[in-house]
Amino acid sequence: MARSLTAALLGSAALAFAASAAWAAEPPAKDAVSKADRALHERVLTLDTHLDTPEHFARRGWSMIDRHSVAEDGTQVDWPRMNAGGLDGGFFVIYTGQGELSAEGYRKARDFALNRATEIREMVAAHSDKFELAYAPADAERINKASKKFVFQSIENSWPMGEDLTLMQTFYGAGVRMAGPVHFRNNQFADSSTDKPIWHGFSPLGLRWLAEANRLGIIIDVSHASDDVVDQAVALSKVPIIASHSGAKAVYDHPRNLDDGRLKKIADAGGVICINSVYLKNTAASPERLAALKALGPAPDSETGTEAEIVAYAKKIAAVNVKYPPVRATFEDFMASLLHTLKVVGPQHVGIGADWDGGGGVVDFEDIADLPKVTARLKAAGYTDADVAAIWSGNVLRVMQQVQDYAAKAKTPPAG
Ligand SMILES: [Zn+2]
């Protein structure tokens, strides 16, 4: 989840899609993908480590089975486009936007996150011929062989766990296999990369969160965490860690991106950096654009608003986009971040987590239907078929296996 400035202005994080609706007014020119590259893309197991699509599962009139388009409703992932783009599965995110660090705030966040987990289960249950929940690397392979899409679950922002670490077992029980401690703002567990440090890394409770993640077999995800948190996670985790949707600071200097030293640090510890399609260049809006967006007033709520209201609002944003076009990164920028990271850490430590439905998508890389272009570019850059397979899933599943093997052996008593 990486909320655009526009979405923040709209006052409804869940409506990030509306902001992007008009950006696809003209279909982008497509990179040609050769038959051989397309065949390779189909052959390898592919996953994305950060799919924010669960935000749409409860939208009235919206179905994961229908083909949608960025132009119409701003969404980037559904079953037909998973097939079009050759995406076999991924980590579907239980994201909770940071709020109050109080008993009441924790309670609301907990209920919100548990409800989101339920919505993921409901989507899978409603389409059990097309999707299946996955809990371990072997599940991904098996589900793929059965011609279904595998659905891992991850948590973005552990705020919903409050100060009760037994909730980690609850979420593990619900199937969560990866979790990040923090989002845009500091919380009870850790400092955010986009906030002023208060803990200078993990809090004391956050250190127990980390140990409990190791004990349960939940992959630690450091995307959004401060540099100190990244360093401490690498040093203290008993198993490799992941950055589920991050990028190279050498390509664009932003607090959400990782410098070469930290890319290497994560890789040296066996971890994987999955490349984001956000924070690739300075896309700050002009004052005129900001004022025009603000003048639109609040966006309709994605769950209580009608589809007509949401579409009408997206059209208003489209008009603003025509008058004051947003500055956007391109597929070239995404590839620059991916290829730079590959150069720094090698093909055994890179994955793909483009933040689809969470603010991701760039010019010429608007939704998951464009994924085969990445495979073509990797081949053009000289990477082998085995490298491509490792980048698309092998590396992440390797870490997942290590994390789960450790938990199976650890058998330590649960945290109180
Ligand atoms: Zn995010």
Side-chain angles (χ1 to χ4, degrees):
M1 180 80 39
R3 293 308 178 186
S4 70
L5 184 58
T6 309
L9 273 168
L10 296 176
S12 168
L15 278 181
F17 67 89
S20 62
W23 294 346
E26 288 177 27
K30 300 285 179 199
D31 277 25
V33 176
S34 72
K35 271 188 181 171
D37 290 343
R38 177 78 210 197
L40 170 63
H41 187 80
E42 291 296 333
R43 202 159 61 240
V44 300
L45 190 73
T46 55
L47 68 81
D48 183 287
T49 43
H50 197 82
L51 299 169
D52 273 311
T53 315
E55 293 209 358
H56 300 299
F57 289 169
R59 267 176 76 183
R60 281 193 275 172
W62 195 92
S63 168
M64 189 66 173
I65 301 310
D66 297 335
R67 182 156 185 158
H68 308 265
S69 74
V70 177
E72 279 168 23
D73 70 359
T75 63
Q76 296 168 311
V77 179
D78 49 43
W79 158 262
R81 282 182 289 179
M82 288 182 86
N83 289 324
L87 183 63
D88 299 323
F91 287 80
F92 287 73
V93 181
I94 299 164
Y95 160 72
T96 312
Q98 186 62 52
E100 292 262 321
L101 299 176
S102 63
E104 177 68 3
Y106 291 146
R107 190 186 62 73
K108 280 186 184 166
R110 177 202 65 196
D111 292 353
F112 178 89
L114 288 170
N115 186 57
R116 184 51 48 82
T118 303
E119 287 169 0
I120 294 172
R121 301 189 81 83
E122 284 174 347
M123 188 286 286
V124 173
H127 310 293
S128 57
D129 56 331
K130 296 182 175 66
F131 293 93
E132 188 173 335
L133 290 169
Y135 307 97
D139 292 338
E141 296 279 0
R142 175 183 55 76
I143 293 166
N144 182 57
K145 281 203 176 74
S147 299
K148 291 190 274 188
K149 307 296 185 189
F150 56 88
V151 176
F152 287 117
Q153 295 169 78
S154 63
I155 281 180
E156 178 171 42
N157 194 4
S158 289
W159 173 50
M161 293 173 199
E163 294 175 348
D164 175 10
L165 291 178
T166 66
L167 279 172
M168 290 182 76
Q169 295 178 51
T170 304
F171 281 104
Y172 180 86
V176 168
R177 292 295 179 270
M178 177 157 67
V182 68
H183 191 243
F184 280 150
R185 285 159 53 200
N186 302 335
N187 66 14
Q188 73 273 33
F189 295 120
D191 287 342
S192 166
S193 64
T194 47
D195 204 348
K196 204 175 151 205
I198 51 171
W199 304 110
H200 301 282
F202 282 101
S203 70
L205 183 67
L207 292 173
R208 289 173 55 216
W209 174 95
L210 180 146
E212 185 66 353
N214 279 177
R215 192 189 71 83
L216 288 169
I218 296 175
I219 303 168
I220 291 166
D221 174 9
V222 294
S223 287
H224 285 286
S226 73
D227 286 348
D228 285 341
V229 173
V230 174
D231 294 344
Q232 290 173 14
V234 169
L236 297 172
S237 175
K238 306 289 188 194
V239 284
I241 64 166
I242 278 180
S244 71
H245 58 305
S246 288
K249 196 167 268 190
V251 169
Y252 176 48
D253 188 359
H254 187 282
R256 273 286 279 112
N257 289 332
L258 295 160
D259 58 59
D260 286 0
R262 287 193 173 80
L263 293 174
K264 278 185 197 144
K265 197 181 262 196
I266 292 169
D268 287 348
V272 179
I273 303 97
C274 303
I275 301 303
N276 200 350
S277 65
V278 192
Y279 311 113
L280 296 168
K281 66 185 278 191
N282 185 354
T283 54
S286 67
E288 292 79 11
R289 177 172 165 78
L290 288 176
L293 287 170
K294 202 173 178 184
L296 296 183
D301 185 89
S302 68
E303 286 181 19
T304 58
T306 65
E307 199 68 10
E309 284 169 344
I310 291 170
V311 169
Y313 196 80
K315 276 185 183 160
K316 284 196 216 170
I317 293 174
V320 173
N321 286 343
V322 170
K323 200 167 179 192
Y324 306 109
V327 181
R328 299 192 67 209
T330 68
F331 183 55
E332 301 306 322
D333 299 317
F334 171 79
M335 284 308 304
S337 186
L338 175 57
L339 292 172
H340 175 85
T341 307
L342 279 164
K343 210 154 119 188
V344 173
V345 300
Q348 300 304 305
H349 299 282
V350 178
I352 308 289
D355 209 358
W356 299 116
D357 287 330
V362 290
V363 175
D364 293 338
F365 192 53
E366 301 284 358
D367 63 20
I368 57 164
D370 284 333
L371 296 182
K373 289 157 66 168
V374 177
T375 293
R377 289 292 188 94
L378 289 171
K379 287 299 288 178
Y383 290 97
T384 66
D385 291 6
D387 293 337
V388 170
I391 292 162
W392 270 118
S393 66
N395 297 332
V396 168
L397 295 178
R398 177 193 70 231
V399 169
M400 187 180 218
Q401 192 65 56
Q402 287 171 304
V403 168
Q404 297 191 357
D405 286 348
Y406 173 83
K409 281 180 198 154
K411 289 180 182 157
T412 50

